[in-house]
């Protein structure tokens, strides 16, 4: 939005000083990015749980598709990566609560967890086969919803830029 010649009464300013809106915004970016990371890893965990239920029931060639080695390997990878992401996010939450969460660590969490969310949803949808692409299945909606998380709160590329600059590059 762009406004020309609009006057805002002092009583309606967001913050103590005029012209400090961007400064106020970036003050809360680490917390916002961490919340997006938390939502991303939670969505990945939910997708895993839904997919585990599905592959135990759905049969192909006379056996549950979860019993196939490829399915087990894919699900093992997903479960491990989600566990690792949850541990990092837990560390970031502890840092936030202690007032020590850095923009870099929040960027790492946001980048990793939203990319993981997309990867997990893609693999889980694949394990659902054609049903995974039908809107009647929660995995289809979760798959569509996952894409935006890599954009809002700062794109993956912006997160990498924040992290890269912290490395002195």
């Amino acid at each position: 939005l762009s406004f020309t010649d609009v006057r805002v009464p002092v009583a309606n300013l967001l913050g103590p000083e005029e012209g400090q809106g961007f400064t106020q915004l970036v003050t809360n970016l680490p917390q916002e990015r961490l919340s997006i990371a938390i939502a991303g890893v939670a969505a990945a965990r939910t997708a895993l749980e839904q997919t585990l239920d599905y592959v135990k029931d759905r049969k192909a060639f006379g056996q549950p598709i979860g019993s196939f080695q490829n399915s087990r390997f894919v699900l093992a990878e997903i479960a491990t990566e989600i566990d690792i992401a949850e541990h990092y996010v837990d560390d970031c939450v502890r840092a936030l609560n202690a007032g020590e969460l850095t923009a870099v660590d929040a960027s790492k969490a946001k980048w990793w967890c939203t990319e993981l969310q997309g990867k997990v949803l893609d693999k889980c949808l694949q394990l659902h086969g054609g049903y995974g692409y039908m809107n009647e299945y929660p995995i289809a909606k979760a798959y569509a919803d996952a894409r935006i998380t890599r954009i809002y709160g700062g794109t993956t590329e912006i997160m990498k830029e924040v992290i890269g600059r912290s490395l002195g590059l």
Side-chain angles (χ1 to χ4, degrees):
L1 296 174
S2 175
F3 300 97
T4 304
D5 299 325
V6 174
R7 297 194 51 81
V8 177
V10 172
N12 294 355
L13 284 177
L14 300 175
E17 294 181 44
E18 183 178 341
Q20 296 300 309
F22 184 75
T23 302
Q24 291 173 340
L25 173 71
V26 296
T27 300
N28 292 323
L29 275 178
Q31 183 175 345
E32 176 190 13
R33 289 175 175 161
L34 178 57
S35 70
I36 295 167
I38 291 167
V41 78
R45 172 69 67 192
T46 299
L48 171 62
E49 291 169 1
Q50 291 171 345
T51 302
L52 286 169
D53 290 342
Y54 180 81
V55 300
K56 290 173 185 175
D57 290 334
R58 179 75 171 145
K59 289 187 170 45
F61 305 108
Q63 63 189 58
I65 61 174
S67 68
F68 294 116
Q69 185 181 48
N70 181 68
S71 298
R72 289 194 314 270
F73 282 9
V74 167
L75 292 165
E77 290 170 9
I78 290 170
T80 302
E81 290 178 1
I82 291 170
D83 284 350
I84 293 167
E86 286 174 339
H87 285 285
Y88 187 74
V89 165
D90 287 348
D91 284 347
C92 288
V93 169
R94 282 189 283 278
L96 175 68
N97 290 339
E100 299 169 356
L101 180 65
T102 67
V104 172
D105 285 338
S107 295
K108 289 176 181 178
K110 197 269 183 194
W111 159 48
W112 187 261
C113 292
T114 58
E115 289 292 333
L116 177 63
Q117 177 187 8
K119 183 169 85 171
V120 166
L121 266 294
D122 185 65
K123 289 181 177 185
C124 289
L125 186 140
Q126 184 71 26
L127 287 168
H128 278 77
Y131 289 124
Y133 213 68
M134 296 173 63
N135 289 331
E136 292 82 12
Y137 284 79
I139 200 76
K141 183 175 183 335
Y143 177 80
D145 291 346
R147 187 59 183 98
I148 190 63
T149 65
R150 290 175 269 171
I151 297 170
Y152 62 57
T155 64
T156 295
E157 293 76 16
I158 294 296
M159 299 304 99
K160 290 178 180 180
E161 182 66 20
V162 170
I163 298 161
R165 286 182 181 181
S166 77
L167 302 173
L169 304 173

